[in-house]
Amino acid sequence: MSDGHFSVTAASVWQDIELIRSQSPLIHNITNYVAMNISANALLALGASPVMAHSQQEMKEMVSHSGALVLNIGTLSHHWVESMQKAADIAIQKKKPVILDPVGCGASQYRTDVARELLEMNRTTIVKANGSEVLSLCGGWGANRGVDSTVSSRHAWEHAQKFSRERNLIVVVTGERDYIVAGDRSWVVRNGSALMPKVTAMGCTASAVVGAFCAVNPIYWVGAVHAMAVMGLCGEMAEKLCQGPGTFVPHFLDALFTIDLAYIEENLKVERLDA
Amino acid sequence: MSDGHFSVTAASVWQDIELIRSQSPLIHNITNYVAMNISANALLALGASPVMAHSQQEMKEMVSHSGALVLNIGTLSHHWVESMQKAADIAIQKKKPVILDPVGCGASQYRTDVARELLEMNRTTIVKANGSEVLSLCGGWGANRGVDSTVSSRHAWEHAQKFSRERNLIVVVTGERDYIVAGDRSWVVRNGSALMPKVTAMGCTASAVVGAFCAVNPIYWVGAVHAMAVMGLCGEMAEKLCQGPGTFVPHFLDALFTIDLAYIEENLKVERLDA
Amino acid sequence: MSDGHFSVTAASVWQDIELIRSQSPLIHNITNYVAMNISANALLALGASPVMAHSQQEMKEMVSHSGALVLNIGTLSHHWVESMQKAADIAIQKKKPVILDPVGCGASQYRTDVARELLEMNRTTIVKANGSEVLSLCGGWGANRGVDSTVSSRHAWEHAQKFSRERNLIVVVTGERDYIVAGDRSWVVRNGSALMPKVTAMGCTASAVVGAFCAVNPIYWVGAVHAMAVMGLCGEMAEKLCQGPGTFVPHFLDALFTIDLAYIEENLKVERLDA
């Protein structure tokens, strides 16, 4: 599971978790109303320090304090988009990773336009999207009816590779399997639980967690693979303890707090894919 | 428990649940900040697909994709009200059900005015309200001090019947017992748990669930009876497994995900009332 | 543990809980998006009635109905700040307690300015803040990088005493131990759980709970001590039943609902400190 100088192993995942727990990086989120609470709780459970701030007056300071910026258009409106643009400009200038979660891209022209503008103006380091959202970003508006995907991540992965190369972007495609694409390199994460799409804002939470890992790991695509592996592993831990999507959530947050090296070594399912 | 061609039975409740699970209707919510997460989770657990969108720029597309529109004024402000009005106009024109939850109506003139305007401009198919809210809609402003009811649903039911006939609206009155009124027809649901008023946004969640049932059942008052029965049944399931209002919530969401025909057959308490 | 005519005992804590449960005071919250749901659930579990309202059009009525006003700048923006100012003016005029939670004060000039303005215009009765926030209020901007404290409450307590005397304000400093300062009087609460800072919005929830106790207890600093004791006691109850910060939350809410006199008598750790 190595790629040149970098490899993803249980030990490399664990090293980043220990860095997050010891450094407690500040993660600045401009995210949707549905996802705010669970995203903040996931970041805290993992060991990071979340801040939610959307007012233009404080964008410069909040981005400066932060180790990563997470933008999520799940409940977007005019003023929030302006703040996202401003925050992204500052973050890119300060060489901090910007994670974009284009929730519902393809379900309205407005969402598609906002997501594309953030990508085309080089305001994004990593895009984390579901299958439908990836297709709407690559191939034109209209692939999506809401915020849940109707396209497999496997299918979207093929489009994501071209998109990643053309835009020089890291693309994370979530779904039954999660694909992390950095140009010609691709990784697949087979960890996860079928209950995750039955819980709202799990994808948004994944974006926040990607932010935490990229705040401590300067090789962003490795950070993204680590993040998605931890999401999947914690999802599996929660699934074993819960009786449905309601009891899944508290156990998932517990898992982010209690996950250890032994568990990762035994359960990690990450694989390098040929381009 | 029949009414002309329509009857509410365990089988009819179950049929709608199976339709929601197989069709996964998109439910468009313009709701309050407190209720967003639990409403989305309830819809997902039930099998529907929630979308939360309040920007005027995307109202037309989101309403077009959706099977029902749920409006909730729990944390209202100017721009959100404009979006609600626009969304309701499009939904009514496209013959989609519009569920209004007039949270806190009667506690401020602003809330009362906004709720009445949505009703009077024929922008509503179903009103789902607690006792105090029903009274403030029927009889004038001032029956309510906050968002929790101080009036029994039994008392409000009498007013709701007149209101339903005059406005040609379906009225759902929630409380210790839930009443569903469609002109001269009334149904009472005796399922439910005393813990439900101790959990925030359970009423808002009921409105979202009414939306899901009315997205698959063209006889809206039947869909509303089914929805309130499922809310009550899942509340009873959760009450048996929890130790208070905190642990109630995850078990309630689990129940929406796991409820089956056998449980409904054994526990359904729905009754047709004489006008 | 007495102070002149007033003393904090298990019996005095319990008396206020019984008042909250019997009177169900309306608590008006203008709070951040992350904290809204858990704050509302905590107030309901405790026996109070929460209302979240931020529109200027309804400030006068909502404040008039309420027993306390809780202001929280965790996700502030221009219009919300205007509503906070208006609501505070009305509450102070009507002699109702105003609790300010200056979330992230010190992390941006904007937050510091907004918090100070609310303090300097005599729009605040009680400030509830973590160590970093207290320092930034007392000593100048810059003590904080995000919303989590980097300063011990013990250290901040010394500054809080001077601040309390100068401003004639009650100051609640949260942290490993909680300090309640009213001029020359100080109390320390040693109840609590190490999991609480791992759960988002627990501090915000404490502010809401202070509001509930001050709505029934006219001696606000006694109400604040009671509130922080109950927060800590319920945190301890939850810690015993949970496996991490995720399962902590539902058990914490259950504890607010089920806490009784016997438990308080056995576990209360409150102490009067010499000035």
Side-chain angles (χ1 to χ4, degrees), chain C residues 11-80:
Chain C
S12 76
V13 174
W14 180 242
Q15 186 178 324
D16 276 4
I17 293 175
E18 287 198 308
L19 284 173
I20 294 169
R21 289 180 183 170
S22 62
Q23 296 177 5
S24 195
L26 191 72
I27 310 303
H28 179 189
N29 300 268
I30 309 180
T31 189
N32 70 72
Y33 302 117
V34 182
M36 281 196 191
N37 186 275
I38 188 170
S39 296
N41 270 327
L43 289 170
L44 278 172
L46 188 61
S49 179
V51 69
M52 311 284 159
H54 65 283
S55 185
Q56 285 205 39
Q57 283 109 305
E58 54 180 358
M59 279 305 102
K60 196 171 173 187
E61 290 150 290
M62 287 302 180
V63 175
S64 301
H65 299 320
S66 301
L69 174 66
V70 181
L71 305 178
N72 179 306
I73 65 167
T75 54
L76 80 180
S77 60
H78 182 60
H79 288 301
W80 286 62

Side-chain angles (χ1 to χ4, degrees), chain B residues 1-8 182 184-187 221-222 272:
Chain B
M1 287 189 289
S2 76
D3 179 60
H5 293 308
F6 307 109
S7 64
V8 172
D184 291 332
R185 289 175 296 240
S186 283
W187 295 77
W221 68 268
V222 177
R272 175 82 164 86

Side-chain angles (χ1 to χ4, degrees), chain A residues 25-29 49 51 61-69 96-97 215, chain C residues 145:
Chain A
L26 191 73
I27 310 302
H28 179 190
N29 300 270
S49 179
V51 68
E61 289 151 290
M62 287 303 180
V63 174
S64 301
H65 299 319
S66 302
L69 173 65
K96 301 191 179 196
Chain C
R145 59 162 202 162

